[in-house]
């Protein structure tokens, strides 16, 4: 229901902007979803954390990370982080998401770069023990929310995701 409300807000903004481009919808939707999840967390007596100017709901130690991965219906395995994604987003996945299974050999700490270590440094403002739970969905201004999935997603080097666990959620329409 919270995503449906966010969609209605984004669609209204898109219509009010009267632009041909879809960016008013996408930008508003991203912020409206975070706001809706933060509002829900507050109603439940849970925590809302500010990470670099963005609010994230943290429910039972699970930081909710909403992400619209396509503007048309697509399978979850087609989700991909954009090439221009911020280092903050990448770090959220690397530090708070599920870790890759152990490799064939351990990486010698001497060979690890500062950038590699920085990506794995947990956000204190999110809660160092918080685990990232992804809420991935597809949506567009006219069709609304097409599909919603939630679960554990590990960001891979090619910007795709591996899902140790995911579940499709039922759709709800705004009133």
């Amino acid at each position: 229901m919270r995503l449906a409300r966010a969609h209605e807000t984004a669609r209204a903004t898109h219509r009010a902007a009267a632009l041909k481009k879809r960016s008013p919808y996408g930008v508003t939707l991203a912020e409206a979803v975070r706001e809706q999840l933060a509002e829900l967390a507050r109603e439940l007596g849970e925590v809302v954390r500010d990470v670099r100017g963005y609010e994230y709901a943290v429910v039972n130690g699970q930081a909710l990370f909403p992400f619209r991965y396509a503007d048309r219906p697509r399978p979850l395995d087609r989700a991909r982080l954009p090439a221009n994604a911020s280092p903050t987003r990448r770090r959220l996945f690397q530090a708070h998401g599920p870790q890759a299974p152990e490799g064939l050999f351990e990486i010698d700490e001497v060979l690890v770069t500062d950038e590699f270590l920085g990506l794995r440094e947990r956000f204190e403002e999110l809660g160092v023990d918080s685990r990232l739970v992804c809420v991935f969905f597809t949506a567009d201004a006219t069709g609304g929310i097409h599909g919603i999935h939630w679960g554990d997603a590990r960001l891979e080097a090619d910007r795709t995701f591996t899902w140790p666990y995911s579940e499709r959620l039922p759709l709800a329409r705004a009133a």
Side-chain angles (χ1 to χ4, degrees):
M1 184 60 147
R2 296 298 177 140
L3 264 71
R5 287 183 195 166
H7 161 71
E8 290 301 326
T9 299
R11 184 165 55 181
T13 300
H14 180 73
R15 286 183 182 149
L19 297 173
K20 294 178 186 176
K21 297 271 185 182
R22 295 180 302 229
S23 60
Y25 174 77
V27 170
T28 303
L29 182 62
E31 187 58 34
V33 168
R34 278 191 299 273
E35 284 182 4
Q36 285 292 327
L37 293 176
E39 182 180 307
L40 178 61
R42 287 183 183 105
E43 288 172 9
L44 296 171
E46 295 289 343
V47 179
V48 175
R49 305 282 186 162
D50 184 284
V51 177
R52 310 278 161 92
Y54 294 103
E55 286 189 327
Y56 290 94
V58 180
V59 179
N60 291 328
Q62 316 298 309
L64 303 180
F65 182 85
F67 178 60
R68 180 177 73 135
Y69 67 92
D71 59 5
R72 58 183 175 266
R74 292 213 174 209
L76 184 60
D77 63 2
R78 301 281 306 274
R80 185 180 186 104
L81 196 65
N84 64 350
S86 72
T88 299
R89 276 188 175 183
R90 292 175 191 269
R91 185 173 149 203
L92 280 169
F93 280 99
Q94 297 297 334
H96 294 274
Q99 299 305 307
E102 293 298 320
L104 294 175
F105 54 90
E106 288 187 33
I107 298 175
D108 188 345
E109 287 189 31
V110 175
L111 301 175
V112 176
T113 66
D114 289 338
E115 182 182 6
F116 178 86
L117 293 172
L119 283 173
R120 279 152 179 78
E121 184 181 343
R122 294 183 166 257
F123 285 95
E124 287 187 30
E125 57 267 44
L126 188 60
V128 293
D129 293 331
S130 293
R131 198 179 108 232
L132 199 65
V133 173
C134 297
V135 180
F136 278 34
F137 59 98
T138 62
D140 71 81
T142 56
I145 307 291
H146 313 124
I148 308 167
H149 297 84
W150 77 278
D152 296 323
R154 184 173 55 252
L155 179 62
E156 302 296 344
D158 64 355
R159 301 186 335 269
T160 60
F161 298 92
T162 299
W163 293 85
Y165 173 81
S166 69
E167 184 178 334
R168 187 176 179 106
L169 299 175
L171 295 177
R173 300 285 177 210

